[in-house]
Amino acid sequence: MESTEGAGVSEVAEEAAAATSCDSWIQRTFDQVLSASGLRLFLQAGQPVTVLALQRYMAETPSPSTPSKATASSSHAHLAPLPTYCYDVTITDGVYQEKCLLAPELNRLVHKNALCCGWCVEITQCSYMYNEKKLCNGFLCIEQLRVVGVSDVGTPLGQKEYKAKPRVPLKGGKKHYLPLWNNEDPYGDIWVEKKLSQDVCVDDSKLTSLFHLEMSWKTRLSFQPLLVRVLHKGRLRYYGKPDTKLDVPYQAYFDVADHSGMMSMVLWNSLCLEWYNSLKTGTVLLLEQYAVKPSYPFKTQPSPRDFHMKKFSSIEISLNVRDPPARIHIIPESKVKKTWKLPEIKYRFITRSELPNLPNEHSCDIIGLVKYVGRTERTRKREHGEDFWIHRWVHVVDGTSEEPFILELFATSQPDIFEQIHPMTYLVCTQMRVMRETVESGSGTTYLTTSNESQMFITGWHKGQPYTEETNVKSFIQWIKTQKEAYHMEKTTIGGYYPFPPVPNTFSKYCKNSKVESVLTTIGEMEKAIESLHYREHKRIAIQGIISAIRYVSCGSTSQDASGAEPMQIDKELLSQSSVSKKNHVKEGRKTSPVQRSPPSVQEQQYVVTRKALAKRKSKTVGTRDPPMSARPYFTRSSGKKIMLHTDLKENCLSKKKESQEVTELTQPSGTGNKKKSSVPKTVQVERICHNSWQSALWTAVKDNLTQHLYYGRVFPESFPCKFDYMHKEFLMQRYNLQAAKYKPNEWGKNEGMICFENACPLEYYEVAILGINHDIAVDVAFLPGCCPEDSHLFRAEDVLNDAVLTSVSGTSCQQKTINKEGLSEIISFSDEVLKAAADLEKQHVICILDICSLTEDKVEVFLNKVYKITEADVINQT
């Protein structure tokens, strides 16, 4: 016994000695900052540490970055103050882990995804903060940092926190963390994954019915037990406010029913943590000690599947942890008695062939094979706010039509399913709404969108779901058994820019559907709108202008008459969400920022950069890697000249005018005027002969005298969809989902320097110069006419061009195009008719609808979606 105890003491002593001898930056920093007189430390050369986790929670006081009331719209003055959020950052130095507070001034780094998990940073200034309401409670606050690059550390196993901290937010009194990018999903270990069914003795004689409850609730203080089945499940709602005293302010609506009818049931606060994940459609519940309250008048109502079922809409069942403390029991399905007469779950599954006959806002359920999955994007809930909806576009087929279901899927509080949607999975969506945009000719676009009660299920989640016995579901399974996997796999795509929902066919309808106070944005305001974008935020804006120049750009390796798609090879570092631009153009006189990029001497591939330096350049600026539109060659049919177009897919498809047709290497001017060769992957052919360009006489006259010229005509690799590959399924899903809140080391291709994906469409686009109506400012944007999922018949080349740029205002159609083996237009040429239409646009004012999306810190997509010709009706509606 003595020898065992002695060995144990010896091991402890050895561990303590090893910890003391370890070179821990976190340990040294704690010692230095605590000994500093002002509890603040300035570090000249910090040691790189790796970001392991980013955790978000609501701030109790407004952040300094919150827009002032003076800048906010006056129409929103009556609304509640916009909430802001704090971020805790967990870092590791290889020895210890430590959770620190990110100073509010650095929150924008998370907003832009410039600071993300798996990146190395050097902390150059930090402080120590004590919680004055608690004893011996303090933490590090990161005040300035320098982003170094992607970390190459493995899984941080066995690392302990240097200062142990509770698993709650560091600052304030909040008791839980929120998801990093939205508020609707359950997040963290505090959410109970599954509550087990219970063997409960149900006394039928003591049960009451929903009908009796509605008739007698005003005269009773307590109520008899209820036995109900869950018919619909709504998404979570977080209603936290900066001054709220509730620990977990959540709410979730359900629709429950018994033999007498259907009623809403509300789960409140901490009961959501305990029960939300376990209450599913079809679950049978025994409810005791519940409350009854008048129903919320503005609650969305699901469409009933049983038209004979009575709906009790005046009251709702309220389940809370107190007043009174609700008791909830899950009854196993095997214990459900027929004498209870609980209603069965009914669905309204439709096939794709039935969709054209359904009215707008019709509610339905669908099942299908996923053929295309778009990237996850975010939409702001309130202007200037930090709350977002997250959504993605998906295509599914069911064998009844050549056209797919087009689905707009918002997060439904099922993150494990939403993030795992990928091509070739079987997808079921319930309580979907038909959205139909009909044009004057009678044709139109139809897609389905989620409702508050929608639920999604993919392969691996279907077992035990009530819909498995539905006729349409069984028919789909029988069809799948007759299909060849390779046939469908060949047509699967993932990611890329997706121009949905469709823009209305008239500007008057666009104004009617717009939710912003001012529909039109000036070109001068456009830069500010882009600067304000958060990570993956998608926004649609309208500007007035004059289409003045169009230039075709090709990044691909296929010739104009090629029928097959070529592989696109992209540097693996680029695909790891790198947000550091490789341009070294630095805007002079910029203010010192609390975040810095490593200089080239630290890491060759990183440069100090601001987005304004990339976008806002005067027309006289020279020596930049991207030649301005005014300096690029434009050719009319009569000139007959050709240019060579080259590309580096890491950055953008660029062009240089050459006298000969030889392939030359691209050069990148440095800050001192010296040129460096850019690294172009050998598998990418960088040559394309093109004459599809045009510029107006007005552009020729004013292009050199502009006071401001914004350049957003860049197209990034992420803008093009790629073929889905099972071998890299996890990588592709991670790439097109939002950035993870916790660091996960890459398990794919550790020994590979490149990851190769096959293109889903030609790597080509148009750069369009839009001149301001006062002829003093211009902006370059991109137009992608041919990049779309292969299953979509809504994007035939002639249809897209008829809706955009030239033909949308002229009514003419494109005559020349090359069709590949899948029937998609691969090269779109300007025909004589279109060139004539372009000439007719000279000096005409048009309205351009632009899709803008922030891919990451210094990558912003700006795509031309539609062009409206200004009509007399538009002028009248604006006055």
Side-chain angles (χ1 to χ4, degrees):
M1 179 67 71
E2 291 181 0
S3 61
T4 304
E5 292 179 355
V9 172
S10 176
E11 290 177 0
V12 171
E14 290 178 1
E15 291 179 0
T20 303
S21 62
C22 286
D23 183 20
S24 170
W25 178 89
I26 291 176
Q27 182 179 9
R28 294 197 311 270
T29 301
F30 261 95
D31 294 340
Q32 295 174 29
V33 73
L34 288 173
S35 62
S37 58
L39 295 179
R40 178 168 280 105
L41 186 64
F42 299 90
L43 302 169
Q44 296 298 326
Q47 173 184 327
V49 293
T50 300
V51 178
L52 296 182
L54 289 168
Q55 295 173 293
R56 184 177 69 106
Y57 53 99
M58 183 168 287
E60 295 184 347
T61 56
S63 170
S65 61
T66 305
S68 63
K69 292 184 179 180
T71 61
S73 172
S74 59
S75 64
H76 298 295
H78 64 284
L79 298 177
L82 296 171
T84 57
Y85 298 90
C86 295
Y87 296 90
D88 289 346
V89 183
T90 302
I91 59 174
T92 179
D93 60 4
V95 180
Y96 292 110
Q97 296 182 19
E98 186 64 23
K99 185 165 68 173
C100 311
L101 173 69
L102 189 69
E105 293 78 13
L106 300 185
N107 284 357
R108 73 178 189 281
L109 300 180
V110 182
H111 297 165
K112 304 289 187 181
N113 197 38
L115 178 66
C116 51
C117 298
W119 278 72
C120 278
V121 298
E122 291 181 1
I123 298 173
T124 57
Q125 180 179 322
C126 63
S127 62
Y128 196 82
M129 299 180 65
Y130 285 102
N131 188 335
E132 296 179 305
K133 293 186 177 181
K134 296 182 180 179
L135 297 177
C136 301
N137 188 283
F139 49 86
L140 275 181
C141 176
I142 301 173
E143 296 180 341
Q144 289 190 16
L145 60 83
R146 180 185 298 115
V147 178
V148 177
V150 180
S151 173
D152 57 358
V153 300
T155 306
L157 297 176
Q159 297 178 4
K160 297 181 180 179
E161 280 190 293
Y162 180 67
K163 296 287 185 181
K165 293 179 177 59
R167 301 172 70 179
V168 296
L170 293 176
K171 188 177 182 181
K174 301 299 181 184
K175 302 297 184 183
H176 71 104
Y177 289 105
L178 294 165
L180 188 57
W181 304 115
N182 76 336
N183 290 344
E184 283 68 45
D185 292 336
Y187 175 80
D189 298 334
I190 62 173
W191 292 83
V192 178
E193 186 64 29
K194 184 178 181 180
K195 298 281 287 188
L196 298 178
S197 302
Q198 303 161 337
D199 290 332
V200 181
C201 182
V202 179
D203 187 347
D204 296 8
S205 63
K206 294 184 178 180
L207 297 176
T208 188
S209 68
L210 296 177
F211 173 77
H212 183 73
L213 193 64
E214 186 188 47
M215 299 297 294
S216 61
W217 73 278
K218 290 183 178 181
T219 60
R220 302 179 65 90
L221 296 178
S222 61
F223 307 96
Q224 292 177 288
L226 273 173
L227 193 65
V228 293
R229 187 188 296 276
V230 176
L231 299 186
H232 305 116
K233 179 179 181 179
R235 67 165 65 95
L236 275 173
R237 175 178 173 262
Y238 177 75
Y239 63 94
K241 299 292 186 295
D243 56 350
T244 185
K245 301 302 181 183
L246 295 171
D247 291 340
V248 279
Y250 280 98
Q251 175 198 71
Y253 267 92
F254 299 80
D255 286 298
V256 297
D258 64 4
H259 62 88
S260 65
M262 180 173 66
M263 186 179 294
S264 293
M265 178 184 79
V266 194
L267 203 61
W268 290 95
N269 306 326
S270 59
L271 286 185
C272 288
L273 306 181
E274 185 179 357
W275 289 98
Y276 183 80
N277 287 331
S278 300
L279 302 186
K280 306 179 184 301
T281 301
T283 301
V284 176
L285 302 174
L286 177 64
L287 305 178
E288 300 177 289
Q289 297 181 199
Y290 52 89
V292 177
K293 298 181 179 180
S295 61
Y296 180 64
F298 303 108
K299 174 187 175 294
T300 61
Q301 299 293 335
S303 297
R305 296 300 189 246
D306 186 349
F307 294 104
H308 301 291
M309 181 176 293
K310 184 175 179 58
K311 171 68 176 179
F312 304 112
S313 56
S314 61
I315 59 174
E316 59 190 26
I317 302 165
S318 181
L319 304 177
N320 213 326
V321 72
R322 62 177 65 88
D323 301 328
R327 296 172 58 187
I328 307 171
H329 308 278
I330 295 178
I331 308 298
E333 191 64 33
S334 59
K335 302 293 184 180
V336 176
K337 300 178 182 179
K338 292 184 178 180
T339 56
W340 293 341
K341 298 180 180 180
L342 295 177
E344 297 297 325
I345 304 298
K346 293 187 177 182
Y347 294 91
R348 193 183 299 167
F349 277 92
I350 65 165
T351 63
R352 181 59 182 86
S353 60
E354 297 171 335
L355 182 60
N357 300 321
L358 299 180
N360 192 42
E361 295 291 337
H362 181 82
S363 177
C364 60
D365 313 308
I366 65 101
I367 183 173
L369 175 70
V370 175
K371 301 298 291 294
Y372 166 77
V373 178
R375 67 191 179 207
T376 303
E377 295 182 345
R378 303 197 296 158
T379 304
R380 206 179 295 250
K381 294 182 179 179
R382 286 175 59 185
E383 192 174 1
H384 306 299
E386 296 182 23
D387 292 332
F388 292 83
W389 300 110
I390 65 174
H391 60 95
R392 71 193 326 165
W393 292 92
V394 174
H395 286 195
V396 300
V397 296
D398 64 359
T400 65
S401 172
E402 293 183 358
E403 298 185 4
F405 286 110
I406 299 178
L407 310 178
E408 182 185 30
L409 301 182
F410 285 85
T412 56
S413 304
Q414 299 171 283
D416 292 340
I417 293 178
F418 185 84
E419 295 174 3
Q420 292 294 316
I421 299 175
H422 61 81
M424 298 302 291
T425 191
Y426 305 157
L427 175 66
V428 168
C429 297
T430 63
Q431 288 287 329
M432 300 293 286
R433 304 280 183 181
V434 176
M435 305 300 292
R436 188 180 302 281
E437 175 67 27
T438 304
V439 297
E440 296 176 357
S441 62
S443 61
T445 302
T446 303
Y447 64 97
L448 305 178
T449 188
T450 50
S451 64
N452 187 63
E453 294 78 22
S454 291
Q455 294 280 286
M456 297 180 289
F457 304 93
I458 57 175
T459 303
W461 295 78
H462 298 305
K463 186 176 180 181
Q465 298 297 336
Y467 56 74
T468 54
E469 298 300 319
E470 290 289 308
T471 302
N472 279 29
V473 175
K474 291 182 177 180
S475 298
F476 170 77
I477 297 301
Q478 292 301 318
W479 172 73
I480 281 292
K481 291 179 180 179
T482 66
Q483 301 300 297
K484 294 182 179 180
E485 181 179 1
Y487 170 78
H488 290 283
M489 188 68 188
E490 185 181 357
K491 297 184 177 182
T492 56
T493 53
I494 187 170
Y497 164 66
Y498 191 75
F500 252 59
V503 179
N505 61 315
T506 66
F507 183 63
S508 298
K509 289 184 178 180
Y510 177 87
C511 294
K512 185 178 179 181
N513 296 342
S514 180
K515 297 179 181 180
V516 297
E517 182 179 2
S518 178
V519 176
L520 288 173
T521 300
T522 68
I523 295 179
E525 295 170 340
M526 178 178 163
E527 182 187 28
K528 187 176 180 181
I530 291 176
E531 283 288 324
S532 67
L533 290 177
H534 284 214
Y535 169 58
R536 288 278 184 90
E537 179 183 357
H538 176 268
K539 185 179 290 186
R540 189 164 279 175
I541 62 175
I543 63 172
Q544 284 192 86
I546 303 168
I547 302 295
S548 300
I550 301 175
R551 188 175 71 95
Y552 169 82
V553 180
S554 173
C555 318
S557 58
T558 56
S559 60
Q560 293 193 9
D561 58 352
S563 59
E566 291 291 324
M568 175 175 67
Q569 192 168 16
I570 303 172
D571 197 319
K572 186 177 179 182
E573 182 178 348
L574 174 68
L575 297 180
S576 62
Q577 301 288 346
S578 173
S579 63
V580 182
S581 173
K582 295 182 182 177
K583 289 179 177 287
N584 59 350
H585 180 83
V586 183
K587 185 173 182 177
E588 296 180 359
R590 71 186 185 98
K591 297 180 180 179
T592 302
S593 171
V595 58
Q596 301 173 3
R597 295 291 181 188
S598 296
S601 59
V602 177
Q603 192 173 12
E604 278 188 14
Q605 296 179 344
Q606 298 180 3
Y607 301 88
V608 180
V609 66
T610 64
R611 182 174 298 152
K612 288 187 177 181
L614 294 175
K616 186 177 181 180
R617 292 175 242 170
K618 303 296 182 180
S619 59
K620 295 182 180 180
T621 301
V622 295
T624 59
R625 182 173 176 177
D626 250 357
M629 289 285 283
S630 59
R632 295 169 182 159
Y634 292 90
F635 300 94
T636 60
R637 285 184 298 135
S638 59
S639 65
K641 294 183 179 180
K642 299 179 180 179
I643 59 174
M644 307 296 293
L645 298 176
H646 308 268
T647 180
D648 179 351
L649 282 176
K650 293 181 182 179
E651 281 299 313
N652 188 28
C653 301
L654 310 171
S655 70
K656 291 286 184 178
K657 181 180 179 181
K658 309 300 287 183
E659 293 297 330
S660 65
Q661 296 182 3
E662 297 176 356
V663 177
T664 60
E665 293 181 327
L666 277 175
T667 58
Q668 175 179 334
S670 65
T672 59
N674 297 325
K675 295 184 177 182
K676 296 181 181 180
K677 294 181 180 179
S678 65
S679 57
V680 181
K682 293 180 179 179
T683 58
V684 178
Q685 300 292 332
V686 296
E687 176 181 357
R688 180 64 67 92
I689 299 175
C690 167
H691 57 274
N692 294 324
S693 300
W694 165 86
Q695 66 176 337
S696 66
L698 175 61
W699 181 251
T700 304
V702 304
K703 62 184 180 182
D704 295 326
N705 300 312
L706 298 173
T707 60
Q708 190 179 21
H709 193 168
L710 303 178
Y711 299 99
Y712 293 108
R714 302 168 53 115
V715 175
F716 302 95
E718 298 95 315
S719 302
F720 295 99
C722 65
K723 293 285 189 179
F724 180 70
D725 180 6
Y726 262 125
M727 183 178 299
H728 297 105
K729 181 184 75 170
E730 296 298 325
F731 172 78
L732 288 170
M733 286 194 298
Q734 177 174 315
R735 183 188 181 194
Y736 292 112
N737 281 316
L738 297 173
Q739 184 69 238
K742 293 184 178 180
Y743 173 58
K744 294 181 181 179
N746 295 340
E747 299 296 333
W748 50 81
K750 291 184 178 180
N751 298 322
E752 299 177 9
M754 309 287 283
I755 298 180
C756 197
F757 297 103
E758 188 178 0
N759 305 329
C761 69
L763 302 182
E764 55 199 22
Y765 64 97
Y766 292 99
E767 285 185 349
V768 181
I770 304 173
L771 179 65
I773 57 178
N774 290 316
H775 300 187
D776 59 343
I777 187 173
V779 60
D780 291 354
V781 300
F783 171 52
L784 279 180
C787 265
C788 58
E790 293 184 358
D791 291 310
S792 175
H793 294 268
L794 301 172
F795 292 103
R796 295 186 180 92
E798 58 270 22
D799 295 334
V800 175
L801 282 180
N802 281 336
D803 275 346
V805 195
L806 303 178
T807 54
S808 64
V809 296
S810 66
T812 60
S813 61
C814 183
Q815 300 295 324
Q816 300 177 13
K817 58 182 179 292
T818 301
I819 305 298
N820 66 14
K821 61 183 180 181
E822 279 80 25
L824 291 175
S825 174
E826 186 169 348
I827 301 298
I828 302 176
S829 302
F830 288 127
S831 65
D832 292 342
E833 290 81 3
V834 175
L835 287 176
K836 181 179 181 299
D840 293 339
L841 282 176
E842 193 104 24
K843 297 184 180 180
Q844 285 198 29
H845 293 187
V846 295
I847 300 171
C848 300
I849 307 301
L850 305 178
D851 285 329
I852 59 177
C853 182
S854 174
L855 301 180
T856 186
E857 182 192 12
D858 292 318
K859 293 182 180 179
V860 179
E861 286 181 347
V862 181
F863 284 118
L864 179 62
N865 185 298
K866 195 175 184 71
V867 174
Y868 294 111
K869 188 174 181 179
I870 299 177
T871 65
E872 185 176 346
D874 296 328
V875 176
I876 295 175
N877 291 333
Q878 284 287 302
T879 58

